[in-house]
Amino acid sequence: MSLLTVGSVAFDAIETPFGKTDKIVGGAGTFIAIASSYFVKDQNIISVVGDDFPQQTLETLNNMGINTEGLQIKNGEKTFFWSGKYHNDMNSRDTLITELNVLENFDPIVPESYQDSTYLMLGNLSPSVQSTVIERLGNRPKLVAMDTMNFWMDIAIDDLKKTISMVDVLIINDEEARQLSGEYSLIKASGVIRNMGPKILIIKKGEHGALLFQEDEVFFAPALPLEEVFDPTGAGDTFAGGFMGYLASTEDLSFENLKRAVIYGSAMASFCVEKFGTEKLLEITQNDILARVGRFVSLSNFDMNVLVK
Ligand code: AMP
């Protein structure tokens, strides 16, 4: 079993009501790979950075078991840069700067050693890059999941629908599900979207948790109520990393196990928001994760006191 992650490896500059950072390491691929490394020993990443990206971060990824052979370093070019500012409620943000840099002409190379990847997580990137990776893998992985965003619905809907038709799991937020399906009700939206291809759909609702749909089954996972949300950047990607990492490590695609994977993803996301960028994710232990999953269990566990008249 091995997990392949495709996604941006980036510099972010973030402003929240609690503080501001200069350029720190971020990127969807970074958050996914770090989160899933707590579950999977054999992990590969496909991405691209410029020669301004710190070698030390690449070593940190390697030390976490993430193989960076497919992470291209472009000499004389700059790493993707994103800057965002959160509003006081921390649920909404404005993108201040997007400098695509190396991502502008990104041609994903799939090294020979990645060809046997059994699980594939396509982080938010251009849908044509996402489908190129699927096409360049000789053997189709057992499970292909993808994330996307409304930006691609606005500018590349045909490419996006083609890529969506190729995957098993789609992970998007509620607004994106409504835009993609044209339905306000998330239940109706889930039917429309699953008719586009993916048999499994996850709709993230930020601090209101996540919904999982497969066939006639629906599961709802709450988000952990936290006293302080410091920086939500990367929470969605971290959720996806925890979800896919857990699935890949257990190799069980039953609905019961998908439910557990959603809880593990939610637990990882709850760590991510506690500090800026990847900082918190880099300092947790397996015991922290288990303890947090335990809090999720007690959060929604109750005895049904059956009243019989
Ligand atoms: P999230 O908070 O889950 O939406 O993810 C935030 C991360 O996505 C940041 O670390 C950014 O570097 C990265 N990101 C933002 N916009 C893009 C984009 N257009 N393409 C790829 N990655 C992006």
Side-chain angles (χ1 to χ4, degrees):
M1 175 280 301
S2 66
L3 172 64
L4 169 57
T5 292
V6 185
S8 52
V9 172
F11 286 128
D12 292 344
I14 300 155
E15 206 176 320
T16 77
F18 301 103
K20 209 175 157 174
T21 66
D22 284 330
K23 280 188 178 183
I24 56 171
V25 169
T30 313
F31 284 104
I32 295 169
I34 292 176
S36 51
S37 72
Y38 284 92
F39 304 92
V40 181
K41 283 202 181 65
D42 187 6
Q43 193 185 172
N44 304 315
I45 187 166
I46 290 181
S47 193
V48 61
V49 293
D51 59 10
D52 53 350
F53 196 76
Q55 180 63 30
Q56 199 193 338
T57 304
L58 299 180
E59 282 164 20
T60 303
L61 297 180
N62 294 150
N63 290 337
M64 299 188 90
I66 302 160
N67 177 359
T68 50
E69 199 187 333
L71 197 164
Q72 303 169 46
I73 302 171
K74 296 278 182 194
N75 282 330
E77 292 188 45
K78 284 167 76 181
T79 299
F80 172 73
F81 174 60
W82 176 82
S83 170
K85 181 177 176 177
Y86 287 85
H87 300 163
N88 280 343
D89 67 359
M90 297 292 263
N91 279 325
S92 50
R93 71 184 178 202
D94 295 324
T95 289
L96 304 177
I97 303 169
T98 300
E99 288 174 11
L100 286 177
N101 300 327
V102 284
L103 274 190
E104 192 155 1
N105 296 309
F106 178 36
D107 183 24
I109 294 172
V110 182
E112 195 50 41
S113 63
Y114 287 18
Q115 283 294 341
D116 291 331
S117 301
T118 39
Y119 290 78
L120 172 61
M121 177 65 223
L122 299 165
N124 172 33
L125 270 181
S126 124
S128 63
V129 169
Q130 292 175 315
S131 60
T132 299
V133 173
I134 301 177
E135 282 155 3
R136 290 184 180 171
L137 281 166
N139 301 319
R140 191 186 189 278
K142 254 167 82 174
L143 192 78
V144 180
M146 76 178 270
D147 185 9
T148 188
M149 69 190 292
N150 46 8
F151 176 74
W152 304 114
M153 296 173 198
D154 294 337
I155 67 157
I157 188 68
D158 291 338
D159 279 350
L160 180 64
K161 283 190 172 166
K162 178 190 153 204
T163 308
I164 288 176
S165 75
M166 299 164 78
V167 306
D168 306 298
V169 187
L170 179 65
I171 304 174
I172 50 177
N173 72 30
D174 44 0
E175 256 179 59
E176 293 156 355
R178 291 186 170 117
Q179 181 171 346
L180 183 61
S181 64
E183 292 286 353
Y184 187 80
S185 149
L186 294 180
I187 301 295
K188 285 187 183 163
S190 79
V192 173
I193 294 169
R194 283 179 296 151
N195 276 336
M196 296 177 182
K199 294 286 165 277
I200 299 164
L201 173 68
I202 294 173
I203 300 181
K204 297 171 291 180
K205 291 158 63 74
E207 65 170 333
H208 303 296
L211 288 160
L212 164 71
F213 299 90
Q214 186 189 31
E215 294 176 1
D216 296 333
E217 310 258 29
V218 188
F219 174 67
F220 171 69
L224 197 67
L226 293 169
E227 213 162 291
E228 241 174 37
V229 172
F230 200 76
D231 170 21
T233 308
D237 311 310
T238 302
F239 171 93
F243 173 81
M244 276 301 265
Y246 182 79
L247 279 185
S249 68
T250 51
E251 301 223 52
D252 171 359
L253 300 179
S254 66
F255 192 69
E256 283 308 305
N257 206 47
L258 290 170
K259 282 161 60 172
R260 275 190 287 271
V262 168
I263 296 293
Y264 274 84
S266 304
M268 296 307 288
S270 76
F271 286 120
C272 173
V273 303
E274 287 183 348
K275 290 195 175 175
F276 270 126
T278 57
E279 195 181 338
K280 181 75 183 187
L281 285 182
L282 291 170
E283 61 188 37
I284 55 175
T285 64
Q286 301 286 351
N287 281 343
D288 294 331
I289 297 171
L290 290 179
R292 190 139 301 186
V293 169
R295 285 177 62 190
F296 274 86
V297 174
S298 46
L299 186 64
S300 47
N301 197 17
F302 65 99
D303 273 337
M304 195 169 82
N305 184 13
V306 182
L307 288 175
V308 182
K309 282 195 176 171

